[in-house]
Amino acid sequence: MAAATDLRFQISPGGALTGRLRVPGDKSISHRSIMLAALAEGETRIGGFLEGADSLATLAAFRRMGVAIDGPDAGQVRVRGVGMRGLSAPDGALDLGNSGTSMRLLAGLLAGQSFPVTLVGDDSLSRRPMRRVTDPLTMMGARIDSSETATAPLLIAPVPQLTGIDYAMPVASAQVKSSVLLAGLYAAGETCVTEPARTRDHTERMLTAFGYSIRRQGCKVCLTGGGRLSGCRLAIPGDISSAAFFLVGASIAPGSDLLLEAVGINPTRVGIINILRGMGADIELIDRRAAGGEPLADIRVCCARLKGIRIPLDQVPLAIDEFPAIFIAAACAEGETVLTGAEELRVKESDRIQVMADGLNQLGILAEPLPDGIRIVGGQLGSTMTTGDIDAHGDHRIAMSFAMAGLRASGPIKIRDCANVETSFPGFADLAAGCGLGIAEVRP
C-alpha cells in the first residue's frame, strides 16, 4: 500500500474559477475554540469547526485530558467544559501530529496545570523551533524540557505557581503571544505581551467571548490570572488562509468570477487582500457582518491584470501564512515583486522561501531567495520548464499554491508529497475542481 506521503496532485493547464463556494472553518479559531471551551464552566456549542487533522489533534488532546466532546459532525461540536482546574493527566504523551499551533499554544496552557505532560509531533513538527515559546514561559516559572536543539518533544512539569510577566516579543508571532497569554490565565498577577507588529488577535477576541477581561493599549495586550471562563455559542467563519488560494487563482486566471461565502476578515488577517489589491486585484467585500466576535463577509474576486510590488512591511505579519499563494500571484504579475521582513517563513512546515523559490524556478520563473524574503520576476509559468514536477515537501500551503499555478501554466504540473493538505483543508481538490481547476489526486 502506498504511503500517505505518496499523494500527488496532477494539474491540467488553463481554466478559470467561477461560481460560489464556501471554504472550511478557520483553523486558528477552531484550535482556540476547543482550548477555551474545555477550560470554561458549562457547555459550549461550536459551529463551523474545521475537521482537518491539525484541529482534530487539538480536540483529541483535550479528550485525553478528560473533557467530554461530542462531534465534530458537519462542523458542529459540543464541549462540556471542566473549568480552569478540571483537566486531568493524559495516559501518555499527547501526539499533536503536524500542528505547530497546537504544540505552541498547549505549551502555555499546560504550563500551569497540576500534572506533568509530554507533547510530541510528527517528523516535521519535531524540527520546528520551540524556544520562542519555552523561553518566555520559563520566565514565568514554567518547567519545560525539550531536545538539545530546542524542539519537540516538550516535557512540561507542574510548578506551584506561574508568575505574570511583561514580555516584549522579539519577533511578531500570534502563536507566541497566545501561548504566553494562555499561561497568564494561571499566573499570579498581570501578564502582558507587547508585539513589535500587530498579529492575529483571535485569542483575545475569543477570551472576551468567554467572558474573560482583556486590556489592550496599542500593541500591548494584558490579562490578570485567576479568572474564569463561561461556556457560550461560537460560529467559526471560513478560513481566509484557505480562501487565499482561490483569491489568487481567480485573480490570475482569465475569465474568472468567483464568490467565496462567509470568510473571516479579521483586520489582523487581511494582509492577503491588501497585498493583492496593491497588485491590482479586483476584490470586493460584500455583506460585511459579525459572528462570535469575528468580522466576516462574502468575497467576490474577478481576474485582473496584476503588477509586481514591494510588499509593505506592515502587511507581512497580516499575511504570514498566505505568502506561498501570494508568490504565485507575483509569478503571474508584470514586473518585480520583492518581499522582506519575513524570516518567519523559513521555520514553517517547510522553509517556504526556499521551497517556493525552487518550485518557481522549476517552472521557469526567476525567483531569488533572500535571507528574510524573496524577489520574484513575473513571467510565463512553465515557459522553460523541462518537467512540471514540484516537490511540496509535505507542506500543505506549498501544495495548494502550486495547484493554482496550473491555471496560468503552459503545461501540466505534478505536485508530490501533498498528503498534509488534509491537515488544514480537507476536500480541497474536490472543491477546487468544482469551480474550474483541472486537478486530480493521484496515489501511486
Side-chain angles (χ1 to χ4, degrees), residues 302-338:
C302 300
C303 183
R305 188 173 180 177
L306 302 183
K307 63 180 184 301
I309 61 169
R310 178 171 288 275
I311 295 172
L313 285 173
D314 64 356
Q315 295 301 307
V316 172
L318 308 186
I320 197 65
D321 284 336
E322 291 74 59
F323 277 114
I326 292 169
F327 295 167
I328 298 300
C332 298
E334 295 180 8
E336 179 180 273
T337 296
V338 178

Side-chain angles (χ1 to χ4, degrees), residues 353 356-361 364-369 374-377:
I353 291 172
M356 286 300 300
D358 290 344
L360 289 172
N361 288 332
I365 298 296
L366 176 58
E368 177 189 358
I374 196 169
R375 183 178 74 91
I376 299 171
V377 179

Side-chain angles (χ1 to χ4, degrees), residues 7-17 249 252 328 363 381 385 387-390 398-416 418 421 428-430 432-433 436-442:
L7 177 64
R8 302 179 185 181
F9 289 158
Q10 177 75 42
I11 312 298
S12 301
L17 302 185
I252 64 174
I328 298 300
L363 297 180
L381 286 162
M385 67 181 179
T387 173
D389 195 355
I390 302 296
I398 301 291
M400 289 184 279
S401 296
F402 277 111
M404 291 300 168
L407 292 161
R408 282 282 296 273
S410 58
I413 297 175
K414 300 176 184 177
I415 309 168
R416 291 180 280 118
C418 299
V421 167
F428 166 75
D430 288 342
L437 180 67
I439 182 172
E441 294 183 327
V442 179

Side-chain angles (χ1 to χ4, degrees), residues 112-360:
Q113 302 300 324
S114 60
F115 52 83
V117 63
T118 299
L119 306 181
V120 299
D122 65 11
D123 289 343
S124 173
L125 180 55
S126 298
R127 292 192 296 269
R128 297 180 66 181
M130 292 295 152
R131 180 170 285 133
R132 60 185 60 191
V133 293
T134 59
D135 280 354
L137 293 176
T138 300
M139 293 167 58
M140 300 176 74
R143 291 175 54 200
I144 305 177
D145 290 328
S146 61
S147 73
E148 292 183 358
T149 55
T151 58
L154 300 183
L155 285 71
I156 305 172
V159 295
Q161 177 71 68
L162 298 176
T163 302
I165 59 172
D166 191 340
Y167 184 61
M169 292 196 304
V171 176
S173 168
Q175 292 181 358
V176 174
K177 175 181 64 173
S178 296
S179 184
V180 173
L181 290 176
L182 291 174
L185 298 175
Y186 294 91
E190 186 173 66
T191 296
C192 295
V193 180
T194 301
E195 306 176 89
R198 189 81 181 270
T199 65
R200 59 187 64 179
D201 62 359
H202 300 308
T203 299
E204 300 96 297
R205 287 175 182 264
M206 191 166 290
L207 282 166
T208 300
F210 279 91
Y212 209 99
S213 178
I214 297 289
R215 298 173 298 286
R216 175 175 281 281
Q217 183 176 7
C219 286
K220 187 172 188 175
V221 58
C222 303
L223 59 76
T224 300
R228 58 188 291 271
L229 301 167
S230 299
C232 62
R233 287 182 175 267
L234 295 173
I236 299 176
D239 196 330
I240 195 167
S241 292
S242 297
F245 307 106
F246 294 92
L247 294 175
V248 168
S251 292
I252 64 174
S256 293
D257 185 346
L258 189 65
L259 184 72
L260 304 170
E261 299 176 339
V263 178
I265 53 166
N266 184 300
T268 63
R269 296 283 299 281
V270 293
I272 176 70
I273 294 175
N274 298 336
I275 292 168
L276 288 178
R277 281 177 167 171
M279 298 174 75
D282 181 359
I283 297 175
E284 179 184 7
L285 302 184
I286 302 167
D287 189 19
R288 293 173 183 251
R289 52 205 188 271
E294 291 282 348
L296 65 152
D298 300 331
I299 306 178
R300 183 183 182 189
V301 55
C302 300
C303 183
R305 188 173 180 177
L306 302 183
K307 63 180 184 301
I309 61 169
R310 178 171 288 275
I311 295 172
L313 285 173
D314 64 356
Q315 295 301 307
V316 172
L318 308 186
I320 197 65
D321 284 336
E322 291 74 59
F323 277 114
I326 292 169
F327 295 167
I328 298 300
C332 298
E334 295 180 8
E336 179 180 273
T337 296
V338 178
L339 168 69
T340 57
E343 58 273 7
E344 174 78 6
L345 292 176
R346 290 198 177 272
V347 291
K348 291 289 189 178
E349 283 84 338
S350 68
D351 179 343
R352 287 179 173 164
I353 291 172
Q354 189 63 56
V355 173
M356 286 300 300
D358 290 344
L360 289 172

